[in-house]
Amino acid sequence: MHWDEIAVRYMQLRDGLVKFANRLLGGDRHMAHDLVQETFKAAALQWETLRTRSEGIQRAWLYRVLKNKVFDQWGAARGCAGSVSSQEMVSDLETPRTAISNLLLQKCWKVIDSMPCAQRRVALLKWQGEWTNREIAAHLDIAPSTVRVHLRNARNTLVTELGDEVVFPSEWRDDGPGEEAAV
């Protein structure tokens, strides 16, 4: 096969891919390394097609696949939390207030998971990844105003689905052009 070509591409891009995944995962370097390995396994399976593409297209493909694997990991992590019963969650928590907050957070993730793909990705990067609007716009190659629209729509969906249970800080209600507007 073409193992040497794949190994060369791996050595060229590994550190950047790990850094990218580590950032998306909030500092889980071990998981970042695992997902980069999975990404290159996927590349090996597609190498007959990828090898004929330019280095730039190969790089873009690898980053896109890695990003999707990170998003899958986020969904799997939340899915595991969803398998615990509400009673089990409450019994293991220190205070009733913490228990209520965690149950509300679980409801929020379920609503976010049901959002349209672009809106869900923006919401996850903002609220789970703690990215700025500019970082999200650059990463997804969309306008900052589009990020703000997705975040406003995501926030409105959460309010519609969960009502008064979910409260956003007052600075998140400003739909102006500021960095943290409409989150």
Side-chain angles (χ1 to χ4, degrees):
M1 283 281 282
H2 306 283
W3 296 114
D4 291 340
E5 293 175 19
I6 298 168
V8 167
R9 186 68 63 236
Y10 176 78
M11 294 306 292
Q12 289 172 338
L13 298 174
R14 177 195 59 206
D15 292 342
L17 287 164
V18 168
K19 183 178 177 183
F20 174 71
N22 188 47
R23 184 169 172 215
L24 285 176
L25 291 164
D28 188 344
R29 193 152 180 82
H30 294 293
M31 181 58 68
H33 278 283
D34 290 347
L35 294 179
V36 169
Q37 292 293 327
E38 288 182 29
T39 299
F40 271 91
K41 285 180 188 176
L45 294 173
Q46 297 294 320
W47 197 250
E48 283 300 320
T49 303
L50 281 174
R51 70 184 301 266
T52 62
R53 308 291 185 192
S54 71
E55 286 184 26
I57 290 174
Q58 290 175 6
R59 182 181 185 281
W61 187 91
L62 289 163
Y63 272 87
R64 185 175 62 248
V65 169
L66 178 59
K67 178 179 65 173
N68 290 337
K69 289 187 178 300
V70 169
F71 287 144
D72 291 345
Q73 183 65 31
W74 286 350
R78 280 195 313 282
C80 292
S83 65
V84 177
S85 74
S86 300
Q87 185 60 37
E88 289 170 344
M89 278 184 79
V90 172
S91 64
D92 290 340
L93 298 171
E94 295 178 12
T95 67
R97 184 177 195 161
T98 304
I100 292 168
S101 294
N102 284 334
L103 291 172
L104 177 59
L105 183 59
Q106 188 178 22
K107 287 180 185 179
C108 287
W109 288 128
K110 284 182 182 180
V111 172
I112 290 170
D113 282 341
S114 71
M115 291 177 181
C117 184
Q119 190 177 35
R120 181 177 62 247
R121 285 185 173 182
V122 168
L124 288 171
L125 289 171
K126 183 65 174 187
W127 296 326
Q128 187 171 31
E130 298 181 3
W131 288 31
T132 67
N133 292 1
R134 286 186 200 105
E135 289 172 326
I136 295 168
H139 177 70
L140 297 177
D141 196 26
I142 59 177
S145 60
T146 304
V147 171
R148 290 191 300 270
V149 168
H150 283 310
L151 290 171
R152 183 179 59 239
N153 291 341
R155 184 190 66 231
N156 290 342
T157 300
L158 285 168
V159 170
T160 299
E161 294 288 325
L162 301 174
D164 293 335
E165 289 183 86
V166 65
V167 178
F168 290 88
S170 60
E171 64 269 15
W172 287 10
R173 297 209 174 263
D174 175 18
D175 292 336
E179 174 58 34
E180 301 306 318
V183 290

